[in-house]
Amino acid sequence: MKNKDNRFEIVLQEGNSLKSEGFRQILVDRETGVNYIVLKSGYGLGITPMLDKDGKPIVTGIDD
């Protein structure tokens, strides 16, 4: 799913927004490497950075 025109890369996608368990994605910001989790269920949606045990953002290596 790599496309240099998009700032975010989807690295995990599971679930179904049409079912009660909802939809989950992990995104990586191509510019900063910060990982985000996206949760969607019904009409609700949330996005937040993923944090390590010390409360710092999880950063993945960035492809140039």
Side-chain angles (χ1 to χ4, degrees), residues 5-6 8 14 16-18 22 25-26 33-34 37 45-47 59:
D5 296 333
N6 295 330
F8 294 93
E14 60 185 19
N16 184 332
S17 61
L18 299 176
Q25 286 184 326
I26 295 179
V34 174
I37 187 161
L45 181 128
I47 183 168
V59 177

